[in-house]
Amino acid sequence: MTFIKIQNVVMNTSYVAAIKLNNQTVSGEKSVSVPLPTPQFSSLQWDTIAQNLYDYKWIEFTGQAAITLQDYFTSFNNVIDLFPQ
């Protein structure tokens, strides 16, 4: 289990299942998006175990944070590229 801190967000990389590289914002700025799990709480029953405890929200990073995340998630220690260019 690895935790990484980008700006004011701390991510547990064990829960990162996907990452969108080379995205662009509406203004054309380079971005990287990561889906992070956010807990879902039932307002009716707090003591039962639900099958889907998490909802995933895409968090978009730009600027230096996007560059850092792209470098981290595309390093040879973390990713095997099945289709190298």
Side-chain angles (χ1 to χ4, degrees):
M1 177 171 27
T2 302
F3 290 93
I4 57 175
K5 182 176 183 264
I6 300 293
Q7 295 171 338
N8 63 345
V9 177
V10 176
M11 286 185 272
N12 181 343
T13 58
S14 296
Y15 292 101
V16 175
I19 184 168
K20 290 182 185 178
L21 302 172
N22 300 323
N23 283 342
Q24 285 189 345
T25 62
V26 176
S27 63
E29 187 177 10
K30 184 177 180 176
S31 71
V32 170
S33 298
V34 179
L36 297 178
T38 56
Q40 284 184 331
F41 299 109
S42 171
S43 60
L44 300 176
Q45 295 180 344
W46 286 86
D47 57 347
T48 61
I49 299 174
Q51 289 182 348
N52 296 323
L53 292 177
Y54 297 102
D55 184 30
Y56 287 84
K57 304 287 185 199
W58 284 93
I59 308 297
E60 186 174 52
F61 296 91
T62 59
Q64 186 61 40
I67 294 167
T68 302
L69 280 172
Q70 183 164 348
D71 289 346
Y72 177 80
F73 283 107
T74 59
S75 74
F76 290 112
N77 294 330
N78 297 316
V79 176
I80 298 171
D81 190 356
L82 297 178
F83 300 107
Q85 296 178 355

